[in-house]
Amino acid sequence: MKLLIIRHGDPNYEIDSLTEKGWREAEYLAERMAGIHVDACYVSPLGRAKDTASLTLKRTGWAAEECLWLRELEAPIHRPDVTDRKMLTWDWLPQDWTAEPRYFLPDRWYETEIMREGHVKETYDWVTGSLDELLERHGYRREGPLYRAVRANNDTIAFFCHFGVECVILSHLLNISPMVLWHGFCAAPTSVTTVITEERREGIAYFRVNGFGDISHLYCKNEPPAFAARFRECYHNEDERRD
């Protein structure tokens, strides 16, 4: 089985849609996806993901099932350096989250007071449980850290979603703390992450990433990647965002 995890285009968060650049990115993505056979397609209910998917669906004729659990992760927390409001779970200063060793561990990252107060693990479990239900429909049943290939296949499944929830999906499939993925990886708008199963012994499957955040469809059109999900590379780069 192959999973294609696709982030939405450059977002206009105020109207939950895409910027002019985001629509161009979605168009170039649709050109790319037109050459791929997909057996099933799933999309977040949020506008920016649905708008991104719409151009691909129109071009390919695919049907997409809307899944609530593919929406951007909704588990805001009180970040250590921000006390007057809640922040996104995956947007911490490096010096804060790396100071807590549990955040690096797949079975302990959710134990801190901040994560418990934000009910982050409950939201994580809802997303990953829904993912496992879907994968079982497609022939792969979760058994501990692995999957049982009940009905092994070479199907391709596409997900149009968001960066935060993409990292949750990868965290679950690879048995890695989501904090490491949220803060150590960056998937640009309309990027495509490819995950494939390996079945080296009959019936025992594990998911493996063989392409993360691919935006070759933008490069071939001379379209630079959007800066969304990134922060300034150097502190004095004032034209790039800091927070």
Side-chain angles (χ1 to χ4, degrees):
M1 174 182 284
K2 179 184 294 183
L3 308 180
L4 304 177
I5 307 173
I6 305 161
R7 188 186 175 200
H8 58 75
D10 188 45
N12 182 334
Y13 289 114
E14 291 185 1
I15 60 173
D16 188 23
S17 183
L18 304 177
T19 64
E20 182 179 344
K21 174 176 173 50
W23 283 108
R24 285 199 309 275
E25 294 172 343
E27 180 182 348
Y28 301 149
L29 172 68
E31 290 184 28
R32 170 184 182 166
M33 300 303 291
I36 299 174
H37 173 77
V38 167
D39 297 280
C41 183
Y42 302 94
V43 63
S44 157
L46 299 185
R48 53 195 184 274
K50 292 171 67 174
D51 287 345
T52 301
S54 68
L55 299 188
T56 293
L57 299 179
K58 181 178 180 180
R59 190 178 184 96
T60 61
W62 303 342
E65 179 181 332
E66 191 172 303
C67 297
L68 184 61
W69 61 272
L70 280 175
R71 72 188 184 191
E72 189 54 289
L73 197 72
E74 293 187 358
I77 51 90
H78 283 110
R79 207 171 76 177
D81 66 314
V82 180
T83 58
D84 62 337
R85 65 189 186 281
K86 288 190 173 183
M87 305 285 288
L88 297 172
T89 314
W90 56 95
D91 179 13
W92 288 49
L93 293 179
Q95 58 267 39
D96 289 333
W97 80 268
T98 57
E100 172 52 73
R102 285 177 290 182
Y103 287 141
F104 291 91
L105 304 176
D107 57 349
R108 300 198 65 190
W109 63 268
Y110 48 83
E111 292 180 347
T112 66
E113 181 179 351
I114 291 174
M115 292 299 187
R116 290 199 306 270
E117 189 266 341
H119 304 287
V120 181
K121 184 60 161 55
E122 291 89 336
T123 304
Y124 179 96
D125 287 346
W126 170 61
V127 171
T128 57
S130 299
L131 171 66
D132 282 340
E133 288 178 10
L134 185 147
L135 292 177
E136 186 162 2
R137 282 165 47 190
H138 286 279
Y140 291 82
R141 183 176 65 236
R142 181 89 177 192
E143 293 184 355
L146 301 170
Y147 285 83
R148 173 65 56 183
V150 178
R151 192 176 69 257
N153 60 75
N154 297 112
D155 291 354
T156 298
I157 300 175
F159 299 99
F160 287 85
C161 56
H162 312 261
F163 174 68
V165 76
E166 173 179 352
C167 290
V168 169
I169 293 171
L170 293 175
S171 162
H172 185 60
L173 295 178
L174 304 177
N175 303 292
I176 296 172
S177 165
M179 289 290 279
V180 175
L181 293 164
W182 283 330
H183 298 94
F185 288 74
C186 181
T190 69
S191 63
V192 180
T193 294
T194 304
V195 189
I196 55 173
T197 52
E198 288 189 342
E199 191 181 350
R200 298 178 63 178
R201 295 294 184 272
E202 186 174 4
I204 302 174
Y206 192 76
F207 284 91
R208 189 171 187 178
V209 175
N210 75 339
F212 178 83
D214 178 38
I215 49 172
S216 55
H217 53 283
L218 301 183
Y219 288 131
C220 72
K221 297 290 187 177
N222 294 315
E223 181 74 31
F227 204 76
R230 291 181 58 200
F231 297 93
R232 59 181 64 178
E233 294 183 21
C234 298
Y235 186 79
H236 295 291
N237 292 359
E238 295 185 359
D239 57 333
E240 298 172 353
R241 67 174 182 154
R242 186 190 69 184
D243 289 308

